[in-house]
Amino acid sequence: MMPRHCFLGFLISFFLTGVAGTQPAHESLKPQRVQFQSRNFHNILQWQPGRALTGNSSVYFVQYKIYGQRQWKNKEDCWGTQELFCDLTSETSDIQEPYYGRVRAASAGSYSDWSMTPRFTPWWETKIDPPVMNITQVNGSLLVILCAPNLPHRYQKEKNISIEDYYELVYRVFIINNSLEKEQKVYEGAHRVVEIEALPPHSSYCVVAEIYQPMLDRRSQRSEERCVEIP
């Protein structure tokens, strides 16, 4: 039989271990990795479920504000959502302003604390997609036509605003000689129409392009290759 003092020690150890190993319900519900993901000023708040959440048994509540404001604003379309993202493009449309977003979860009558993003400024942090590229053959030359990425629909309503209105953009065009497997940069500049001349006949080339932002020292991913046969 276990001595009385050993039994009491066992009970104390058991309860201390249990308390230390159990987190409050609201803490285990708290959303994880709350952050903005932005492409071409399309600003999406994303998060992951708390450690205690599985499946679709929980709902989420989203708020946002401009840095320096005290009052948080509810995002009505994401108030009680079961999704793990929320489109805050319209709410963060002043691209020079710094913003915060935050999310809380609810499940089975319990609510988590709020999880807040780092400070988010669209102008600094949005990622630019590669240019859209079309190629036409003209008398043995290639005419490359480049288009900047599209902005969200909200911006399209305002005087045909382009992403070029917000950044200095430099286009880079590369040509790949398929027979030699050799790549060459043939253009770097602000023009969106580029002519590649003096290509030998009966040859095969692929063309790719990217956008470079000098002020941020940042470049986009490359466009899809467009390949042509020179007759």
Side-chain angles (χ1 to χ4, degrees):
M1 185 173 184
M2 184 182 295
R4 186 166 180 268
H5 67 276
C6 292
F7 180 69
L8 289 174
F10 169 78
L11 286 178
I12 292 171
S13 175
F14 173 80
F15 284 115
L16 286 177
T17 303
V19 170
T22 303
Q23 292 183 324
H26 64 85
E27 185 65 25
S28 60
L29 292 175
K30 191 174 180 180
Q32 307 293 305
R33 301 178 184 175
V34 182
Q35 59 188 338
F36 279 96
Q37 296 290 335
S38 178
R39 300 193 73 85
N40 310 320
F41 300 131
H42 195 183
N43 306 323
I44 308 295
L45 185 65
Q46 297 182 341
W47 60 90
Q48 294 296 319
R51 290 181 292 273
L53 294 176
T54 58
N56 296 322
S57 61
S58 56
V59 293
Y60 299 93
F61 304 89
V62 173
Q63 293 183 328
Y64 64 94
K65 71 173 183 176
I66 296 175
Y67 171 73
Q69 292 181 342
R70 292 186 178 182
Q71 189 75 25
W72 288 89
K73 297 179 181 179
N74 298 342
K75 172 62 174 176
E76 298 298 336
D77 293 345
C78 304
W79 199 253
T81 181
Q82 289 186 308
E83 304 290 351
L84 296 176
F85 64 89
C86 179
D87 190 337
L88 290 177
T89 299
S90 294
E91 290 74 15
T92 55
S93 60
D94 189 337
I95 65 170
Q96 300 284 358
E97 286 283 2
Y99 297 92
Y100 289 104
R102 68 179 187 177
V103 186
R104 74 186 303 193
S107 180
S110 295
Y111 288 82
S112 75
D113 290 335
W114 291 97
S115 289
M116 191 171 70
T117 66
R119 190 185 303 181
F120 166 71
T121 305
W123 189 87
W124 282 104
E125 299 181 51
T126 200
K127 294 181 180 178
I128 304 300
D129 281 338
V132 177
M133 181 176 63
N134 289 301
I135 298 177
T136 303
Q137 292 192 46
V138 180
N139 298 325
S141 299
L142 296 181
L143 199 62
V144 181
I145 302 171
L146 304 164
C147 294
N150 289 328
L151 292 173
H153 184 65
R154 177 197 177 280
Y155 295 87
Q156 302 299 328
K157 297 178 181 179
E158 299 182 4
K159 303 177 183 178
N160 297 318
I161 289 177
S162 164
I163 206 160
E164 293 174 318
D165 294 310
Y166 298 105
Y167 299 105
E168 175 191 356
L169 299 183
V170 172
Y171 295 94
R172 292 171 172 169
V173 179
F174 304 84
I175 191 167
I176 302 151
N177 186 322
N178 291 328
S179 60
L180 300 178
E181 297 184 353
K182 182 179 179 180
E183 179 181 286
Q184 176 186 1
K185 182 165 70 173
V186 293
Y187 178 76
E188 179 168 344
H191 295 297
R192 292 191 292 171
V193 179
V194 178
E195 186 174 5
I196 306 174
E197 301 178 291
L199 296 175
H202 314 299
S203 54
S204 172
Y205 292 91
C206 292
V207 181
V208 295
E210 67 184 23
I211 292 174
Y212 177 65
Q213 298 165 272
M215 187 174 291
L216 301 178
D217 191 23
R218 185 186 301 165
R219 65 181 184 179
S220 72
Q221 294 182 338
R222 290 189 168 189
S223 64
E224 292 186 8
E225 289 186 357
R226 300 292 301 273
C227 299
V228 294
E229 298 281 344
I230 306 299

